[in-house]
Amino acid sequence: MTAQPDRVDELLDAWRAELPDVLYPTSELTKRVLVLAAALDEATRRELPALGITVAEFDVLVSLRRAGAPYRMKPNQLARGLLLSSGGTSNVTNHLVANGLVVREADPDDGRSTWVRLTPDGVALAERAVSASSAAHAAVFANVPGDVVEVATGALRAVCAGAASTSPPQPAPARNARNRRAG
């Protein structure tokens, strides 16, 4: 049984016709992973307005909830885990504090440091948010047979393990205006 051509097939066919050298054996997998990631991201984003939170707030709340009781992390841990700047993390945290969803607590072991901890309302909202996101993700896969999901999960686990074992190329050093020469 052959699947009907879809938008990824159309995209790849166009590249095969126009510039076939840009396609690699991994090109179809890459495009399909990106399409699926976008669908899952959109499914989560659709749930957030009803919960009254932004994507960044969702990320902070669920990170703190996932940390386990007492549902707290250092701001720099949050920033690293969420790939936010320290300023961005601080802005999101300020908003969550103002809404009574997190509190900042002094670290008794380090007077220069603080913890960000979920309040009981924050725990409840984080749990509702995770449930809503999980249900939205399940809806994305609603028409996919369970055995296909299981096989795809195993295959992607192997792909991720193999991809993680290679080091990504390092970007070239940034050049600032002082390093540029007039040409």
Side-chain angles (χ1 to χ4, degrees):
M1 176 183 211
T2 304
Q4 294 283 29
D6 61 14
R7 65 185 186 179
V8 172
D9 293 318
E10 293 168 6
L11 176 77
L12 295 172
D13 286 346
W15 280 119
R16 278 185 200 96
E18 293 298 320
L19 203 56
D21 292 344
V22 301
L23 297 178
Y24 288 84
T26 56
S27 294
E28 183 175 1
L29 174 62
T30 301
K31 298 300 180 201
R32 293 193 182 285
V33 166
L34 292 172
V35 167
L36 182 56
L40 293 169
D41 182 60
E42 180 56 32
T44 294
R45 287 174 183 273
R46 279 194 306 268
E47 299 300 316
L48 300 183
L51 297 167
I53 57 176
T54 66
V55 172
E57 292 166 344
F58 170 82
D59 289 341
V60 169
L61 291 171
V62 300
S63 292
L64 290 168
R65 178 60 184 88
R66 185 176 54 244
Y71 313 118
R72 69 182 188 179
M73 296 174 76
K74 300 275 186 165
N76 62 349
Q77 291 173 307
L78 278 169
R80 271 195 316 270
L82 300 175
L83 303 177
L84 289 173
S85 68
S86 60
T89 302
S90 183
N91 288 339
V92 173
T93 301
N94 289 341
H95 193 255
L96 293 171
V97 167
N99 288 327
L101 299 171
V102 302
V103 292
R104 285 189 176 92
E105 299 175 325
D107 182 345
D109 298 327
D110 180 356
R112 301 167 296 160
S113 184
T114 61
W115 291 95
V116 177
R117 181 182 54 81
L118 288 175
T119 64
D121 286 347
V123 172
L125 181 56
E127 290 174 358
R128 285 196 316 275
V130 169
S131 293
S133 178
S134 294
H137 292 177
V140 170
F141 293 105
N143 295 323
V144 182
D147 60 327
V148 172
V149 170
E150 189 175 327
V151 169
T153 299
L156 284 172
R157 180 177 286 115
V159 168
C160 289
S165 69
T166 62
S167 61
Q170 298 298 312
R175 293 181 56 173
N176 63 31
R178 198 162 66 172
N179 290 342
R180 284 189 209 125
R181 298 188 186 240

